[in-house]
Amino acid sequence: MTSKKCAVLGLLFFVGLCWARVEPREVLLVIACPHLPRQARDECFALSDNVREQHRQLDLAEIFPGDYTLKVHVMHELFNYWTLLDALPHLQGQTRLLGARTEWIIWCQHNTRVASLRGLLEQLRRQDPGELSFHGHALYDSEATIIHHFSNYKDPQWFPYPMLSAGVVFTGVLLRRLAEVVASNTQNITLRSDFSIDASHELARFIYDNVSPDPHAGTPVSARIILKSASYICPTFASMRAPEIPNRGPRCMLHAKPEEPSAGLTATSRHLKERCVYTTGSHIYFAIKTCAKFHKERITIIERTWAADAQNRRYYSDVADGGIPTISTGIPNVQSGHCAKTMAILQLSLKDIGQQMDIRWLMLVDDDTLLSVPRVSALLSCHNHSDLVYLGQRYGYRLRAPDGFNYHTGGAGILLSLPLVRLIVERCSCPSAGAPDDMILGYCLQALGVAAVPAAGMHQARPQDYAEELLQLQPPVSFHKFWNSDPEYTYRRYLGGSLANGSAPLAAHKDQATAAPLHLLGLQPCPDGVGLLQEAGIESSGKHLDL
Ligand SMILES: *[C@@H]1O[C@H](CO)[C@@H](O)[C@H](O)[C@H]1NC(C)=O
Ligand SMILES: *[C@@H]1O[C@H](CO)[C@@H](O)[C@H](O)[C@H]1NC(C)=O
Ligand SMILES: *[C@@H]1O[C@H](CO)[C@@H](O)[C@H](O)[C@H]1NC(C)=O
């Protein structure tokens, strides 16, 4: 070999080495972090510090031979991008976090915990990074549910979707393919709904519908990609009953951290306590939206359940009924939407509250909303009622479109600080009387720069519409809909309530409610709020907002 050839080969070898050095293979741990509440943001940074600390204490080369790195990134919500699908283009674009050499992505939330980084990485080493796959704690529906767009309604129990708070592991090849599909934004994409309700189910469904092992061939249904159930990812740490694996530590490497009941009040963290203000039911004004046809059956149930804890409650209806009593809004009932009625309720409520200095919050609920007043109070205690605060169960509408927005869904209950109620009354109006009230509220508040802050534990549907693991993660705050369920059971079992004997004015109706199980009373689903399946009309109507 001539010295010249030798030099060239040497150079090539050196370049090769450098190449390998510049582009190591990588594990990326992303913490998807909401901007608010502050407590969630604090948890994101604590998790990030914890993972970095675990990283310092291990030698990656022992686990993955060759050049390998671990990157930890706290990804703050940008604009409306609280779902992975919406965040994905950002992950690949601007931040260049998701590169060609990213083999694994560990997707965490603020309430995910990494029990053992070493155990997790050892687990990943045993899995195939070349496969289009994702792994997590699999949740299943027990029946077809509105929150999952009634998908698989004939066989709702077969489809697994990940428990996001427990953490989800993706292969890089899957997320890169997914990013391509999302970015292509073509007509070819199957998107089941314009609504973002349960980001985890929607993600699993999107992958199932749109990502195929071979993009150039049609995919037989049997080859479609569904979540792989991973025993090392657990719903909670306590849920791991299996004994530890000898020499390998715990079986659960990733798990969800249950929220403490009334986190704000029991938290030991000093700075958290400083921010919290003792709040009880007497500080909250409950504005309950009803209509004449439901006065008897629904108000009776509220009076037997949570009303006892809600001194400041008013029933707003289309007709005044002295026997309850209800207050007339002067707005005729419509089949859907109720925007005009809700705006009238907020105005009338402000007038009614007047100078009662101890009322700090307004909670807007339906006549078939069940809630725990003590838990609502605990939730509110760590939010500043002097600020513009908008709390509830967050949904999204057309999040990827320029006119997309977040809103709190009405049935779960919407929490507003009083300064915010005043702002709404001043600045928001309805495009039409029957426009969907909760969506219009969200749209208007987004335009006014008030964020829809998600509150854990609030539910737009009934307990049976959610996976049990999710309900166990924190004490539920609210549920919605009496249809095909036993609201008194729900109240006792899930909301920690005990039944009242019923207040005097309602005694006449009481027997009716207790005489027969509710589903035998023929309760109709209320013509209320926005029918999730009636998706038409909002984008055009939104433009009429008087801002
Ligand atoms: C959309 O689907 C059609 C038919 O399956 C295919 O020919 C076309 O290439 C696809 N377009 C894109 C951008 O993927
Ligand atoms: C609550 O908000 C008000 C108005 O924005 C502010 O003056 C006050 O300092 C805040 N209180 C706390 C405890 O953050
Ligand atoms: C309901 O009424 C019964 C009989 O009057 C009484 O013994 C019981 O303590 C009451 N329960 C509540 C929760 O008020």
Side-chain angles (χ1 to χ4, degrees), residues 38 274-277 384-387:
R38 265 162 75 173
E274 280 169 5
R275 291 206 293 262
C276 298
V277 182
N384 185 346
H385 60 272
S386 308
D387 278 342

Side-chain angles (χ1 to χ4, degrees), residues 248-532:
R248 275 213 210 112
R251 180 177 70 84
C252 292
M253 312 306 174
L254 274 175
H255 65 89
K257 181 190 129 315
E259 311 266 340
E260 295 158 37
S262 59
L265 295 179
T266 57
T268 46
S269 155
R270 191 173 47 83
H271 69 283
L272 199 63
K273 271 191 179 158
E274 280 169 5
R275 291 206 293 262
C276 298
V277 182
Y278 183 65
T279 305
T280 70
S282 67
H283 298 119
I284 310 165
Y285 182 93
F286 295 88
I288 304 150
K289 190 173 61 180
T290 187
C291 54
K293 69 188 277 200
F294 294 127
H295 286 180
K296 276 190 184 172
E297 52 199 44
R298 291 189 178 178
I299 293 177
T300 310
I301 292 167
I302 291 181
E303 288 294 317
R304 275 181 58 75
T305 53
W306 56 273
D309 296 328
Q311 302 99 291
N312 312 308
R313 63 182 187 280
R314 299 285 185 277
Y315 295 99
Y316 286 98
S317 181
D318 48 343
V319 292
D321 177 344
I324 293 179
T326 65
I327 301 167
S328 169
T329 56
I331 310 277
N333 198 45
V334 288
Q335 278 305 301
S336 67
H338 304 300
C339 190
K341 184 171 178 176
T342 296
M343 290 301 171
I345 290 173
L346 293 180
Q347 278 176 21
L348 291 168
S349 299
L350 272 188
K351 229 184 251 170
D352 188 28
I353 293 168
Q355 297 305 312
Q356 296 179 59
M357 300 308 277
D358 53 342
I359 292 186
R360 302 169 184 162
W361 297 92
L362 185 145
M363 186 171 196
L364 190 60
V365 299
D366 285 353
D367 54 4
D368 54 351
T369 300
L370 289 171
L371 55 90
S372 158
V373 175
R375 291 178 192 169
V376 171
S377 307
L379 167 71
L380 290 175
S381 64
C382 289
H383 292 271
N384 185 346
H385 60 272
S386 308
D387 278 342
L388 301 174
V389 183
Y390 174 40
L391 281 166
Q393 190 185 19
R394 179 174 62 175
Y395 280 14
Y397 182 70
R398 291 167 57 83
L399 290 185
R400 260 164 291 169
D403 60 349
F405 58 95
N406 290 318
Y407 67 99
H408 290 318
T409 177
I414 298 171
L415 289 158
L416 307 164
S417 62
L418 282 200
L420 185 58
V421 180
R422 291 190 195 102
L423 183 74
I424 292 168
V425 166
E426 241 171 65
R427 303 289 300 275
C428 302
S429 62
C430 298
S432 67
D437 52 357
D438 50 2
M439 297 179 77
I440 296 298
L441 216 50
Y443 183 89
C444 179
L445 289 177
Q446 176 159 299
L448 293 171
V450 179
V453 178
M458 300 183 74
H459 300 93
Q460 169 69 15
R462 306 157 303 170
Q464 65 257 45
D465 294 305
Y466 301 88
E468 195 59 37
E469 291 96 318
L470 296 176
L471 296 180
Q472 283 167 7
L473 208 52
Q474 70 264 312
V477 173
S478 70
F479 290 104
H480 178 227
K481 294 280 185 216
F482 297 163
W483 176 74
N484 233 349
S485 75
D486 179 346
E488 293 184 357
Y489 175 77
T490 299
Y491 183 65
R492 279 179 283 130
R493 163 84 171 73
Y494 292 98
L495 294 168
S498 52
L499 298 183
N501 279 341
S503 54
L506 288 157
H509 305 317
K510 206 177 80 188
D511 293 340
Q512 211 175 338
T514 49
L518 280 161
H519 61 276
L520 297 182
L521 288 174
L523 293 195
Q524 296 295 313
C526 198
D528 57 356
V530 48
L532 284 172

Side-chain angles (χ1 to χ4, degrees), residues 3 22 40 96 106 172 189 209 218 226-227 233 279 445 474 499 531:
S3 64
V22 171
R96 301 198 172 279
I106 305 161
I189 295 178
D209 286 336
I226 60 170
L227 177 77
I233 303 179
T279 305
L445 289 177
Q474 70 264 312
L499 298 183

